[in-house]
Amino acid sequence: MLICERWLVCLKIIRELICSGYASDSTTMQEVCQVKQVCAVLLVAIQSILPYYSIFKERQYTLWGYANRACVKLMKVLNIFQNRHPYSFAHVNVLPVAVDFCLTVITRPEHADKFSEDFLVQCIFLVNLVLECQEYNLRRMRIGHHVIIETSEHTSLDQRKIKLSDAARSMVVSVLPADRIILLCDVLIRRYLIYTEGDMNDWHANPESFHHGQNLLQYTEKRPCAEVLFIVLFDNYMEQLAPFVASIIHQVKAVSPSLETEITAGMLLKDSAYTAAGHVFYGLSKYLSFDEWFRGYLFVDLSNGNPNMCIIRRRIALLLGQCASEIKGVVQKDVCVALVGLLGDQDMAVRLAACSSLCYAFRVFGIWEVDLFDCIPTCWEMCFKLAKDAQEFDSKMQVLSFILVLIKYVGGNRIVPFINKISHFFQEIWEESSGECLLQIELLDAIRTFISFLGYNSPLCYGMVLPLLHYVLNVDNPNALNLLEGTLLLFEATLSNAPSIVPQLLDFFPYLVDIANISLDHLKIMINIVEHYIVLVGSNLLQSHAASLESILDTIVGNANHKGLLTTLPTIDLLVQMFPQDVPPLISGALQKLVFISLCGGNEHYPSRTAACVTSGAILARLLVQNRDFLAQLLSEPTLVVSFQQAGISVNQNLLLLLVDMWINKVDDADCMQKKEYAMALSIVLTWNIPGIIERLGDILRLCTSVIIGAHKRTRDDSSNGVTVSSLFLNAGPGYSNTSKESKKAQIRDLDPIRHASLGDMLRENLEACVTLHGDVVFDAIISRIDPVVIAQLQWALKVIV
């Protein structure tokens, strides 16, 4: 056994030397001569070990395990070499010998039980690799894709590739003549695609688990690997195999009558034949009419409700889904009715197969000529019952997926008659999902999709949605953190699709306080929800939940990173614009933090930090323009100075002067609207008798002039008509119409008093006030020290731009 283990180590070393020691020959076009030398030895080794299989199995079980392991690894190495160096593998002493050996192992009946499944899988895999190998089919691929090579160098390389490809192809043809192709196809259908006794035992033990287990089978297992080989073989030799496969479909009717009641070899063969046909039906249409097949074979098979016939009913259910895109004409509705009927089958595996096919097929049915709406009521009922009967998570998820597909298919107002039943279904399955966090996450997403499709009909499901939101928004509930993203998305969808913000929805707003305290991971969704309330509820939000709003914004501004701040600051700006008198005192804590962020400055290495600094400064500039008294009060708060001291930042001058310097220094990083806010704030500051302001007159005038001229070059905004935002939107009650949050935001922004105010007029008035405040002598002295070019530009701007 020590020698055996050393032998396997040597094999591993050889594999690594050839695979890692040489670049792929499909890239370099350089032959790796070691491949043909080593592969010939490996093939001889396999053939020398195989005769001992039976002897070792009877007398030396340990050696039998080694022999099996060795042969499997030898085949794996051959597969690896072929995949890595396809041209070097295509040698007359390697490729045809290896393929011929594998085909012999696969097709001879005496080998079926002699060799292990792992070894058979590797043999199937090698044949599959060779048939699928692009390097062996270059001429066919180039004809199909009309490849054009221009340079002589490329032409020479291309011709060499085609020559090698043709040689490899001729080797494959030599070991796969027409009769052997038919034999291989026949063996795959009659032997490899058939359910085993173990499969049937698993099915009867737990049909639900069996169904999902079939979906999880890997290509390292015999039947899935054989299915792949069958499809590849059919694609390569469709003209030869299509009539043969069609003939097997007709033959199985005789060996397995539609009314049989026992599981027979004929029934299993019929299942295998239907499996094969389902995989390649796209190539059978010339020889097998779906209409005739369905009405003459499949429909008759489905009429047999015997429990043992579940094998065929499940296969037909999967088959109809596979063929959905090929089904034409009036038979479409018959197929749909048949699948819906299978949803109510007595066998769970059949029901889940029908659900899977319907889920796919309804996506195709959406473009069919027939209207399948008549099937929908029964479909809903069957789905709800299936979800109730299902025990496994995967089953419930499958039903959920199908229900969402149905919702999308029905869509619009046609879904209204089903809303109560769908809502009741969601409510029931939620109650049953206690403790199943993954299922609850998927349920929240499904309900969100449901609400989105309902649109303004969504209040019809509030009986289910509002109690659910009331539960999941409470952070004290189990799994609250795991469900948080789904909860917030559902909350946002409910608000987005609400025709009006009903009192119950308004009452949910305080839940955001606790959510903000436990996690800011989903800040963008949370801010969208806050904006919905601000824009659509207006002043009623301040009246009902002012403290909650203050707490949410204070928590976010105090704890979010700069990227999170950039998500939040536009909402604060919107609030200050809409409620310049009421909101600032309410959110003074958050505004103090904005002062700190503004004066800490940006960093050119951290653009998000600079953007947060600039945006915070713009909000403070707006506050000065729309509520100057409050800004003065804010900057004089002792707690603000303390916060600077705690951060180790010394404040040696008036905070307003620091803010003025920030506006001047950061204006180049601001957008057009922010520049106007900066300029208007600075022009107002000129009217304040604060030491140090007049000395900054030159910088202030330079900035204001630049903004005025820049605005003149762009299309001017329409002048304000004097209508205030409050009179239009802000006094709306809980029944306020939600036509669109974004459109309402756009209207509010369009009515922004700063947007419509004339910076030139404001600057002219404030300069006159500045002269009156400081006197002509002082003002003229300051003006005389300013660059004449700036003065000339200012005079032009104030004269030309009205």
Side-chain angles (χ1 to χ4, degrees):
M1 291 307 299
L2 180 61
I3 294 174
C4 293
E5 292 299 329
R6 288 175 176 171
W7 189 90
L8 289 173
V9 171
C10 289
L11 177 62
K12 185 175 182 179
I13 293 170
I14 291 171
R15 182 196 71 197
E16 289 301 317
L17 285 172
I18 294 180
C19 287
S20 303
Y22 302 92
S24 173
D25 63 7
S26 62
T27 303
T28 64
M29 294 306 298
Q30 298 293 321
E31 181 186 10
V32 181
C33 60
Q34 288 84 352
V35 172
K36 64 182 179 183
Q37 296 168 355
V38 171
C39 286
V41 174
L42 298 186
L43 284 166
V44 171
I46 295 173
Q47 292 168 334
S48 66
I49 295 173
L50 287 179
Y52 293 94
Y53 252 51
S54 301
I55 299 173
F56 286 163
K57 192 170 184 178
E58 294 173 0
R59 304 175 187 176
Q60 296 287 341
Y61 193 76
T62 303
L63 281 176
W64 175 82
Y66 160 75
N68 178 58
R69 183 179 167 202
C71 288
V72 170
K73 286 188 177 294
L74 286 166
M75 284 303 307
K76 281 185 177 180
V77 172
L78 287 172
N79 289 334
I80 291 170
F81 287 171
Q82 192 284 329
N83 192 49
R84 176 70 172 171
H85 303 295
Y87 291 125
S88 301
F89 190 86
H91 187 272
V92 68
N93 294 328
V94 179
L95 190 151
V97 176
V99 173
D100 180 70
F101 169 76
C102 290
L103 289 173
T104 301
V105 170
I106 295 168
T107 56
R108 287 192 177 176
E110 63 268 22
H111 293 163
D113 299 321
K114 181 178 179 180
F115 302 132
S116 70
E117 181 172 314
D118 290 341
F119 181 69
L120 288 172
V121 165
Q122 292 303 319
C123 291
I124 294 171
F125 193 57
L126 178 61
V127 178
N128 184 37
L129 281 176
V130 170
L131 291 178
E132 270 196 311
C133 184
Q134 294 183 0
E135 287 78 9
Y136 300 166
N137 295 280
L138 285 181
R139 185 176 297 277
R140 187 195 312 177
M141 290 172 59
R142 292 183 184 281
I143 292 173
H145 292 88
H146 305 290
V147 175
I148 298 176
I149 305 297
E150 296 179 356
T151 67
S152 58
E153 179 183 352
H154 284 165
T155 301
S156 175
L157 182 62
D158 191 56
Q159 289 175 347
R160 186 180 175 192
K161 284 185 176 181
I162 291 178
K163 183 178 179 181
L164 291 172
S165 175
D166 290 344
R169 189 68 189 169
S170 65
M171 294 178 196
V172 174
V173 170
S174 68
V175 293
L176 262 179
D179 58 339
R180 204 172 195 182
I181 293 170
I182 297 294
L183 173 64
L184 178 59
C185 178
D186 191 54
V187 167
L188 290 173
I189 294 174
R190 296 180 184 274
R191 194 187 307 162
Y192 288 89
L193 302 188
I194 286 183
Y195 282 130
T196 64
E197 183 179 353
D199 293 329
M200 299 313 302
N201 290 336
D202 291 341
W203 187 335
H204 291 309
N206 191 330
E208 201 170 342
S209 295
F210 174 80
H211 170 79
H212 297 299
Q214 294 299 298
N215 294 332
L216 296 175
L217 290 176
Q218 302 295 316
Y219 292 138
T220 53
E221 299 178 58
K222 186 171 70 173
R223 185 150 40 84
C225 192
E227 288 180 5
V228 173
L229 176 57
F230 170 76
I231 295 169
V232 172
L233 185 71
F234 187 89
D235 287 342
N236 275 271
Y237 305 100
M238 187 180 298
E239 291 184 5
Q240 296 168 251
L241 292 180
F244 176 73
V245 173
S247 69
I248 292 181
I249 298 298
H250 294 296
Q251 291 170 17
V252 294
K253 186 175 183 180
V255 297
S256 175
S258 298
L259 298 179
E260 66 180 331
T261 57
E262 298 297 327
I263 298 177
T264 63
M267 182 187 292
L268 295 177
L269 176 60
K270 178 187 283 188
D271 173 84
S272 178
Y274 285 2
T275 300
H279 286 314
V280 298
F281 188 77
Y282 54 85
L284 299 178
S285 56
K286 290 182 180 179
Y287 308 94
L288 188 65
S289 164
F290 181 84
D291 287 25
E292 294 178 4
W293 186 28
F294 178 76
R295 299 185 193 283
Y297 290 74
L298 305 181
F299 187 77
V300 178
D301 287 338
L302 290 176
S303 65
N304 186 348
N306 186 276
N308 287 330
M309 201 59 180
C310 63
I311 300 171
I312 302 303
R313 292 197 300 274
R314 178 179 181 272
R315 180 54 55 195
I316 293 174
L318 295 173
L319 174 68
L320 294 179
Q322 291 173 306
C323 299
S325 59
E326 305 292 328
I327 302 172
K328 310 295 181 184
V330 294
V331 76
Q332 294 168 343
K333 193 162 188 176
D334 295 332
V335 168
C336 182
V337 171
L339 284 171
V340 172
L342 290 174
L343 282 176
D345 195 90
Q346 55 190 325
D347 187 277
M348 199 64 171
V350 176
R351 297 169 72 184
L352 290 170
C355 181
S356 176
S357 289
L358 279 168
C359 190
Y360 168 73
F362 259 94
R363 298 190 183 102
V364 179
F365 292 168
I367 59 172
W368 276 11
E369 311 89 59
V370 297
D371 187 357
L372 303 172
F373 189 72
D374 294 342
C375 302
I376 301 299
T378 307
C379 217
W380 288 126
E381 296 295 338
M382 295 294 187
C383 280
F384 300 153
K385 189 174 186 307
L386 177 57
K388 190 173 182 179
D389 295 342
Q391 299 298 316
E392 298 193 7
F393 170 78
D394 289 337
S395 302
K396 294 177 181 179
M397 287 308 309
Q398 190 173 320
V399 179
L400 267 181
S401 298
F402 178 41
I403 286 175
L404 291 181
V405 169
L406 281 179
I407 289 171
K408 294 176 183 178
Y409 175 78
V410 177
N413 293 326
R414 297 204 303 178
I415 201 172
V416 172
F418 309 109
I419 289 177
N420 288 336
K421 289 185 178 180
I422 299 172
S423 298
H424 182 67
F425 161 74
F426 280 130
Q427 186 174 352
E428 277 193 343
I429 198 170
W430 177 266
E431 291 170 355
E432 294 170 3
S433 68
S434 178
E436 297 185 52
C437 183
L438 291 176
L439 179 57
Q440 289 184 335
I441 290 172
E442 297 296 334
L443 269 172
L444 290 174
D445 183 61
I447 296 170
R448 177 176 64 88
T449 303
F450 178 45
I451 288 175
S452 299
F453 271 92
L454 288 179
Y456 290 164
N457 287 317
S458 60
L460 295 174
C461 70
Y462 277 3
M464 173 271 296
V465 172
L466 296 184
L468 176 61
L469 279 174
H470 179 74
Y471 174 81
V472 295
L473 286 169
N474 187 345
V475 298
D476 295 328
N477 288 320
N479 292 322
L481 200 57
N482 294 327
L483 299 176
L484 185 56
E485 182 178 14
T487 297
L488 290 174
L489 287 171
L490 175 59
F491 193 7
E492 182 186 24
T494 304
L495 292 171
S496 298
N497 293 280
S500 62
I501 306 299
V502 297
Q504 296 96 316
L505 280 175
L506 185 58
D507 291 341
F508 289 155
F509 185 80
Y511 282 119
L512 294 174
V513 176
D514 291 333
I515 291 174
N517 285 326
I518 66 168
S519 174
L520 295 179
D521 290 344
H522 312 293
L523 181 59
K524 187 173 182 179
I525 308 172
M526 197 185 309
I527 289 299
N528 282 340
I529 292 171
V530 172
E531 277 196 355
H532 270 98
Y533 279 106
I534 292 171
V535 173
L536 303 175
V537 180
S539 60
N540 281 282
L541 178 64
L542 303 184
Q543 295 170 10
S544 304
H545 303 297
S548 297
L549 179 62
E550 184 274 334
S551 177
I552 292 166
L553 294 178
D554 191 63
T555 300
I556 294 173
V557 175
N559 296 281
N561 57 24
H562 293 102
K563 186 177 179 180
L565 279 174
L566 291 175
T567 300
T568 308
L569 293 177
T571 303
I572 297 177
D573 184 64
L574 185 68
L575 267 173
V576 174
Q577 177 200 327
M578 293 171 66
F579 309 102
Q581 304 303 318
D582 298 332
V583 162
L586 174 66
I587 62 169
S588 60
L591 292 174
Q592 286 186 35
K593 292 180 175 66
L594 295 191
V595 174
F596 184 84
I597 293 168
S598 300
L599 298 184
C600 284
N603 189 319
E604 61 181 4
H605 300 296
Y606 300 96
S608 60
R609 182 175 177 181
T610 299
C613 167
V614 170
T615 307
S616 299
I619 293 172
L620 297 172
R622 174 182 290 281
L623 182 59
L624 189 150
V625 174
Q626 295 190 259
N627 192 344
R628 65 185 67 181
D629 292 338
F630 182 79
L631 181 66
Q633 177 187 336
L634 181 72
L635 295 177
S636 63
E637 288 286 343
T639 54
L640 185 56
V641 178
V642 171
S643 66
F644 278 97
Q645 292 173 347
Q646 290 175 344
I649 301 173
S650 59
V651 181
N652 299 321
Q653 55 182 314
N654 190 307
L655 286 177
L656 180 61
L657 287 179
L658 294 176
L659 201 53
V660 167
D661 290 338
M662 177 265 162
W663 288 332
I664 293 171
N665 294 330
K666 295 296 181 184
V667 69
D668 290 338
D669 296 313
D671 62 32
C672 298
M673 191 63 191
Q674 291 171 341
K675 287 178 180 179
K676 187 174 184 181
E677 290 168 341
Y678 283 10
M680 294 182 75
L682 289 170
S683 73
I684 292 173
V685 167
L686 292 176
T687 65
W688 291 3
N689 188 16
I690 298 176
I693 292 293
I694 192 66
E695 284 78 8
R696 292 166 172 79
L697 179 62
D699 291 330
I700 293 174
L701 293 180
R702 185 180 298 107
L703 186 152
C704 291
T705 302
S706 173
V707 174
I708 292 172
I709 294 174
H712 182 62
K713 293 178 181 178
R714 296 184 298 271
T715 303
R716 295 201 56 186
D717 296 327
D718 295 334
S719 59
S720 175
N721 56 13
V723 178
T724 63
V725 176
S726 299
S727 64
L728 285 179
F729 305 111
L730 307 187
N731 295 319
Y736 181 59
S737 176
N738 175 10
T739 55
S740 167
K741 184 199 80 169
E742 293 303 321
S743 65
K744 292 286 175 57
K745 271 182 66 177
Q747 292 175 34
I748 292 170
R749 291 294 189 195
D750 190 56
L751 294 174
D752 184 0
I754 292 180
R755 181 182 298 274
H756 295 285
S758 170
L759 175 58
D761 292 343
M762 179 179 285
L763 180 59
R764 189 182 293 108
E765 293 173 5
N766 290 332
L767 282 174
E768 292 172 358
C770 183
V771 172
T772 303
L773 178 65
H774 296 284
D776 292 338
V777 176
V778 174
F779 186 81
D780 290 342
I782 298 294
I783 288 292
S784 66
R785 295 198 293 269
I786 299 175
D787 188 341
V789 175
V790 174
I791 299 299
Q793 289 177 335
L794 174 64
Q795 290 173 340
W796 179 83
L798 294 179
K799 179 180 179 182
V800 175
I801 302 171
V802 181

